[in-house]
Amino acid sequence: MTDFQRNPGHLMHTQFMPAFVEGANHDFMQSDLTEVIVKFSGDIQSIRQDLDAQVEILLKGYAIITLSPNKIGRLYSYPQIESVEIPKNLYIGGLYNLTSSCIRAVQSTNSYGLTGKGVIVSVIDYGIDYMHPDFRKADGKSRILYLWDQTVAGTPPDGFSGGSEYSNEQIDQAIQSSDPYSVVPSIDAGGHGTAVAGIAAGNGSENPDNIGVAPESDLIVVKIGQRGFRSFARTTELMRAIKYVIEKSRQLNQPVVINMSFGMNEGSHRGDSLFETYVSDISSEWKTSIVVPTGNEAAAGHHYSTKLRSDSVKVVEFFVANGISKCFLSVWKDFADIFSVEMVYPDGFSSGIISLENQIRNISVGNSVMTVIYRQPSHYSVRQEISFNIQSANGMIPSGLWKLRFVTSSIVNGKIEIWLPTVEEVTSSTRFSKPIETMTMTIPSTARKVIKVAGYNDQVGNIAEFSGIGSAEEAEPRPDVAAPAVSILAPKNGGGYDAYTGTSMAAPFVTGSAALMMQWGIVLKNDPFLYGERLKAFLRLGAARRQNQDYPNASFGYGTLCLSNTMSYLERYKWGGDNQWLSI
C-alpha cells in the first residue's frame, strides 16, 4: 500500500468532465462498451443505428442501451429519452422456523394441505445446485423448469443476447449423466442460491424434517451474470432476469413469486431510481409477486444523517479498512441547499474545496483516483446526489480515518443522508464514526411494490441486529413483515444441509408462503387476484404483533410472518364482502 505525503506534489491531475454523464461510475466508464438504463417514450430504434448501439426494450418505457461511453451524452439529444441511469453493482445479502412462521399448520393435510403445486417459485441469485435431491420429484426428475445461467456462453433465451438457457429436459439429462456438468455447466459456487431455493421450495428429500415452505412448487432459476471484468452483477442483469421469469411464467400460464436476495447502498433509498421504478412497474405484469430482503446493514455503520446550518462547517468522519480497493460515498441532499465539499485523506491531504460549479471532478493522489459528481434531480426525485467514487489503479486505497467536510452557504432544509457500500463490498470495519441505524434497508427492498422482508431471531423474538431498518417517517420505506433469519437449516452444495444466517434467508420464507397463498387463491380458484399488492396486504394483515408495541415500525414492519393467520383472514374475506369474482 502506498504511503501518502502531505504535499501538493501528489495531486497528479485534476480533470473536469462534461456534466451530462448522469450517474457516472469510474470503473464502469473504463469499459469499451457501456450499459445504461433509460426511461423513454415513443420509438427509440433510431438510436441503434445513429449511435451504433444495442437497444434492448424490457418493458414499456424501460430499456437497456449498450454503447460506447463517449456517446452517452448524445442520448440526451433524443426527445424520446426521458431519463438515463448508470447501472449499479448488486451484492448477495449473505424446522422450527416453519412452526414459528405459522407455516406448518397451512401445509398440514388436516387443514389447507398447501404445497405450492401449480405455482412457480423463481430464485434470481448466484446459481443453484440442480443435483441436490431437494429440487427433484419423487421419480428423480428435476423440478426446475428452466435455468438461465447468464455467466455461461451458449444458447441464450429468445429475446436475450447473453448466457445459456437450459430446459427441464436438459437438466434431467444432466442428472442422469455420469458427467452432469458437461451437459449443464452451471454451478452455485457459494451455495447462496441453493440455500435460498431450499428454504422457499426444498422438498426435504434427504431429510423430511428439513422440508421447505412450498415443496411441490415448480422452479425457474436465473443465475445472475457478471459481464466483462466485473466480480459482481449489475442492476441491468437483474432487470433482464425479472423480465425473463415473468415472460416464462406467462407462457406457462402459472402464477409466479420471485425471490431476489440482493442489495446495494448506492442510491437515495426512497424507491426513486430508474432501477427501482422498473422493479415496481414490472411487478404489476402478469400474476406476479416479488420478494426482497431488507439487507444486513443495520449494524454495519454504513449510514449517516445530520442537519446542516447556513454559513457553517460540518465534518463527517469515516474509517476505511485495510485491503479495500474501492469505496464510494453517496450523499443525498435537498436541491435547495447550497454547500461545497472537501475530502481529507488519512494522511491529511486535502482534495480542495469542490463546489457546484465543478460538477464533475477527478482527483488523482498516488495510485488512487477520486471522482466527485454533483448530480441533478430527475423527474422522479427533487433530491440531489453528490457522489464520491474512490478507486485504486493498482493496490488498495488508503486505510484509516477519512474526513468529509461540508462548507455551507445557503441552507433551506439542511438534512443530508450518506451511505457507504454494503458489508459484502467493504466489510463492517469500513464505517462512519457515528452511524445511524435507520434507513439501512438496501436497494431494491426500497422499491414501492415489492414485499420487503426483515430478519429476526425466532428463538428469542428479537429483530436480528444486522437486519436493515426502515425510516422513522411513515411515508418512506419500511419492512412489510419479518421472517426467521438466524441459524436457518437449508440445503447446501453437494447435498445435505447447513445453517445460514442473514436476511437473504428470511426472504424465502415469505416467498414460499406467497406460493402457498397463490396455490390456494389462483390455482384452487379461491381468490383469482391473490398476487402483487393484494397478496402483500394479506401478509401484513396476518402478521403476528406484540402487545405494547407500535406497528408498523421501522424494524418489524407490520409484525412477524404468520401464514395461518393470513389464511384465516383470506377465508374470512372469501366469504365476506370481497368475493365479487365468485359470481363471474
Side-chain angles (χ1 to χ4, degrees):
M1 182 172 299
T2 303
D3 292 322
F4 292 85
Q5 305 295 322
R6 295 190 186 183
N7 69 71
H10 282 269
L11 183 58
M12 303 279 298
H13 64 270
T14 300
Q15 177 182 345
F16 295 90
M17 297 172 63
F20 59 69
V21 188
E22 178 72 16
N25 177 291
H26 183 73
D27 67 335
F28 180 68
M29 301 298 290
Q30 311 243 349
S31 223
D32 290 338
L33 289 177
T34 290
E35 289 179 346
V36 294
I37 306 165
V38 301
K39 186 76 167 62
F40 71 94
S41 58
D43 186 0
I44 61 169
Q45 293 304 325
S46 60
I47 294 174
R48 190 190 310 270
Q49 184 172 354
D50 292 353
L51 302 184
D52 190 24
Q54 298 173 22
V55 177
E56 186 177 353
I57 296 174
L58 299 180
L59 184 68
K60 183 178 180 181
Y62 294 91
I64 297 171
I65 297 180
T66 305
L67 74 173
S68 174
N70 60 17
K71 296 179 181 178
I72 294 177
R74 293 172 59 184
L75 288 173
Y76 289 83
S77 66
Y78 291 85
Q80 307 98 305
I81 300 296
E82 299 175 2
S83 190
V84 178
E85 180 175 290
I86 299 297
K88 308 296 193 303
N89 287 333
L90 293 161
Y91 302 87
I92 55 176
L95 284 163
Y96 169 81
N97 314 111
L98 295 186
T99 302
S100 66
S101 301
C102 319
I103 293 169
R104 286 285 194 200
V106 177
Q107 294 174 327
S108 172
T109 54
N110 294 325
S111 59
Y112 294 96
L114 297 176
T115 62
K117 189 172 184 178
V119 178
I120 293 171
V121 168
S122 176
V123 176
I124 301 176
D125 210 289
Y126 282 134
I128 189 171
D129 178 7
Y130 64 81
M131 295 294 293
H132 198 290
D134 268 30
F135 309 123
R136 300 191 210 173
K137 302 174 185 176
D139 61 4
K141 294 185 176 180
S142 179
R143 295 167 52 207
I144 303 172
L145 302 180
Y146 292 96
L147 167 59
W148 178 22
D149 191 327
Q150 296 181 346
T151 71
V152 175
T155 304
D158 290 342
F160 298 89
S161 61
S164 291
E165 180 187 49
Y166 302 102
S167 66
N168 178 259
E169 291 77 12
Q170 289 172 299
I171 297 170
D172 282 340
Q173 290 174 14
I175 290 173
Q176 297 166 10
S177 171
S178 59
D179 186 10
Y181 298 105
S182 67
V183 181
V184 176
S186 179
I187 62 171
D188 176 16
H192 186 272
T194 300
V196 167
I199 295 168
N203 60 20
S205 289
E206 290 196 328
N207 186 342
D209 291 335
N210 296 330
I211 193 170
V213 182
E216 287 194 314
S217 60
D218 295 315
L219 290 161
I220 293 179
V221 178
V222 181
K223 179 176 178 179
I224 287 290
Q226 306 97 34
R227 295 192 174 193
F229 59 87
R230 300 191 308 273
S231 57
F232 289 96
R234 287 199 181 275
T235 48
T236 43
E237 274 100 16
L238 186 55
M239 293 167 73
R240 293 182 177 103
I242 299 169
K243 179 188 179 184
Y244 167 80
V245 169
I246 293 175
E247 286 182 349
K248 284 294 185 186
S249 301
R250 195 196 304 266
Q251 292 167 11
L252 294 165
N253 196 29
Q254 291 180 249
V256 62
V257 54
I258 301 173
N259 191 101
M260 304 190 307
S261 291
F262 292 96
M264 65 181 187
N265 271 344
E266 202 168 355
S268 73
H269 291 69
R270 284 173 171 78
D272 52 14
S273 68
L274 276 186
F275 170 54
E276 291 161 285
T277 55
Y278 169 82
V279 172
S280 286
D281 287 351
I282 200 168
S283 70
S284 298
E285 295 288 312
W286 186 232
K287 301 170 184 180
T288 304
S289 291
I290 298 178
V291 180
V292 185
T294 62
N296 304 326
E297 288 290 297
H302 292 159
H303 174 236
Y304 178 82
S305 179
T306 192
K307 292 274 283 188
L308 302 178
R309 296 175 298 170
S310 295
D311 301 317
S312 64
V313 175
K314 174 69 177 180
V315 178
V316 177
E317 298 180 339
F318 64 100
F319 298 92
V320 174
N322 287 315
I324 303 298
S325 62
K326 59 183 176 180
C327 184
F328 69 76
L329 277 86
S330 182
V331 179
W332 289 83
K333 61 182 281 291
D334 192 303
F335 192 50
D337 293 332
I338 306 298
F339 55 77
S340 300
V341 294
E342 176 191 12
M343 185 70 77
V344 181
Y345 289 64
D347 69 345
F349 176 83
S350 169
S351 67
I353 300 295
I354 303 170
S355 65
L356 173 63
E357 288 72 21
N358 300 136
Q359 294 209 27
I360 298 179
R361 186 171 172 183
N362 282 345
I363 301 167
S364 290
V365 179
N367 68 342
S368 65
V369 177
M370 180 171 68
T371 303
V372 184
I373 307 174
Y374 276 79
R375 295 187 175 128
Q376 299 183 23
S378 70
H379 55 287
Y380 292 102
S381 173
V382 298
R383 291 163 61 80
Q384 180 181 22
E385 181 188 14
I386 306 173
S387 68
F388 297 79
N389 286 286
I390 310 163
Q391 182 165 331
S392 172
N394 50 58
M396 306 300 165
I397 64 175
S399 61
L401 179 65
W402 292 64
K403 297 179 181 180
L404 177 57
R405 298 177 71 245
F406 295 90
V407 183
T408 68
S409 51
S410 172
I411 297 297
V412 180
N413 178 304
K415 185 175 183 180
I416 59 169
E417 303 217 57
I418 316 174
W419 284 272
L420 287 161
T422 61
V423 171
E424 292 78 17
E425 300 170 78
V426 295
T427 78
S428 58
S429 295
T430 298
R431 59 189 297 117
F432 290 106
S433 60
K434 296 179 180 179
I436 306 294
E437 287 190 344
T438 57
M439 292 294 285
T440 51
M441 291 171 57
T442 52
I443 300 167
S445 72
T446 47
R448 187 167 62 88
K449 289 187 178 180
V450 303
I451 301 171
K452 309 162 178 61
V453 184
Y456 82 110
N457 186 335
D458 58 339
Q459 299 286 341
V460 295
N462 296 334
I463 200 74
E465 64 174 8
F466 50 79
S467 179
I469 297 174
S471 172
E473 300 178 24
E474 289 189 16
E476 295 179 345
R478 291 179 173 179
D480 291 305
V481 294
V486 178
S487 298
I488 309 301
L489 205 60
K492 67 176 182 177
N493 278 352
Y497 304 88
D498 205 348
Y500 299 84
T501 290
T503 57
S504 287
M505 304 304 137
F509 281 100
V510 176
T511 298
S513 296
L516 300 189
M517 294 168 67
M518 287 176 161
Q519 180 191 6
W520 179 86
I522 302 170
V523 178
L524 300 179
K525 298 181 169 44
N526 291 302
D527 184 339
F529 308 122
L530 191 54
Y531 52 90
E533 294 291 89
R534 177 173 174 82
L535 187 147
K536 180 200 292 185
F538 276 98
L539 283 172
R540 288 176 169 183
L541 178 62
R545 290 178 275 275
R546 294 176 176 177
Q547 293 183 347
N548 304 319
Q549 186 167 340
D550 292 333
Y551 294 93
N553 60 57
S555 297
F556 282 94
Y558 284 78
T560 58
L561 173 66
C562 187
L563 186 57
S564 61
N565 278 358
T566 292
M567 294 304 302
S568 295
Y569 281 114
L570 281 168
E571 285 281 7
R572 187 180 306 178
Y573 274 86
K574 171 187 172 184
W575 300 114
D578 198 18
N579 62 355
Q580 60 266 32
W581 57 81
L582 297 179
S583 60
I584 295 176

